[in-house]
Amino acid sequence: DIQMTQSPSSLSASVGDRVTITCQASQDISNYLNWYQQKPGKAPKLLIYDASNLETGVPSRFSGSGSGTDFTFTISSLQPEDIATYYCQQYDNLPRGFTFGPGTKVDIK
Amino acid sequence: QLQLQESGPGLVKPSETLSLTCTVSGGSISSSSYYWGWIRQPPGKGLEWIGSIYYSGSTYYNPSLKSRVTISVDTSKNQFSLKLSSVTAADTAVYYCAREPMVRGVIKDGMDVWGQGTTVTVSS
């Protein structure tokens, strides 16, 4: 089984700060990596797919990069509405399946 | 605009079977471009994929839950359903349904449309 780790588990930053979250897979997953935002009491929202592609309608301050085992998610300028928990998710086609990372909680300092 | 809505009992007794339904509106569950999935989130914890189904009935399950999970589809009602047997307190969670795009049989993008979630508590 592929295991996903994320760091940090939580962070506190100021409005306007650049925020970076890392996600690591236990084995090579190519670019089969998505990022989600989940606000309290709400369903997750897809932000980035296939490691670096911005989902339609998602602000351009969000970005993703990486391939293989190491991935990065960045908010270029943190906004108050970005307070949420962010999850990476790897997927596999053989067989079909998904594994989420443990999440990173982002707060405003 | 496509919408997904989960429904089912909010309270299930230990050892019994949890049953939930996801109703798809604003689009057809019989589209060849999507699988339909269930994901859960225990209180204060992370997300866990439970399994997915295609309109033809083809299913994939999380190996850790496979022995207890059945996902089925009813195209006439535009619904798909989850059954989880022999539940314990560890199955207490918010259960979400979601759409999973695909192209030529392989996953494309991510889970792009989600239901609002429904809370299920396992308790006697």
Side-chain angles (χ1 to χ4, degrees), chain A residues 3-102:
Chain A
Q3 307 299 317
M4 306 300 294
T5 57
Q6 280 183 241
S7 61
S9 57
S10 65
L11 66 88
S12 187
S14 299
V15 172
D17 280 356
R18 183 180 185 87
V19 169
T20 298
I21 299 169
T22 62
C23 178
Q24 188 169 56
S26 59
Q27 62 189 70
D28 190 337
I29 60 169
S30 184
N31 67 331
Y32 298 161
L33 192 286
N34 304 318
W35 290 95
Y36 296 83
Q37 174 193 65
Q38 187 180 32
K39 296 183 178 181
K42 300 295 186 183
K45 175 186 176 182
L46 177 66
L47 299 181
I48 303 286
Y49 64 92
D50 294 346
S52 61
N53 296 289
L54 195 67
E55 177 74 347
T56 302
V58 173
S60 59
R61 64 179 181 274
F62 296 102
S63 64
S65 64
S67 67
T69 60
D70 296 302
F71 301 86
T72 300
F73 172 81
T74 300
I75 307 173
S76 61
S77 177
L78 186 67
Q79 300 302 305
E81 60 266 32
D82 300 337
I83 299 311
T85 299
Y86 293 85
Y87 294 92
C88 62
Q89 176 205 51
Q90 73 87 21
Y91 63 89
D92 202 342
N93 285 294
L94 294 169
R96 182 184 183 91
F98 301 86
T99 304
F100 289 90

Side-chain angles (χ1 to χ4, degrees), chain B residues 16-71:
Chain B
E16 295 190 343
T17 296
L18 177 161
S19 296
L20 296 174
T21 295
C22 181
T23 300
V24 179
S25 59
S28 174
I29 201 170
S30 299
S31 168
S32 61
S33 299
Y34 306 105
Y35 264 77
W36 305 89
W38 288 99
I39 303 95
R40 71 179 182 177
Q41 184 171 37
K45 297 188 177 181
L47 299 159
E48 179 180 39
W49 171 71
I50 300 170
S52 308
I53 191 164
Y54 193 55
Y55 77 93
S56 65
S58 173
T59 53
Y60 291 90
Y61 299 133
N62 186 323
S64 69
L65 297 169
K66 187 175 183 177
S67 64
R68 298 194 293 130
V69 173
T70 302
I71 298 176

Side-chain angles (χ1 to χ4, degrees), chain B residues 4 11-12 19 37 57 59 62-63 73 77 79 90 99 108 110-111 116 121:
Chain B
L4 281 64
L11 181 64
V12 181
S19 296
T59 53
N62 186 323
V73 64
K77 295 181 178 179
Q79 296 176 334
R99 186 177 78 170
K108 177 182 182 295
M111 298 169 178
Q116 65 184 24
T121 301

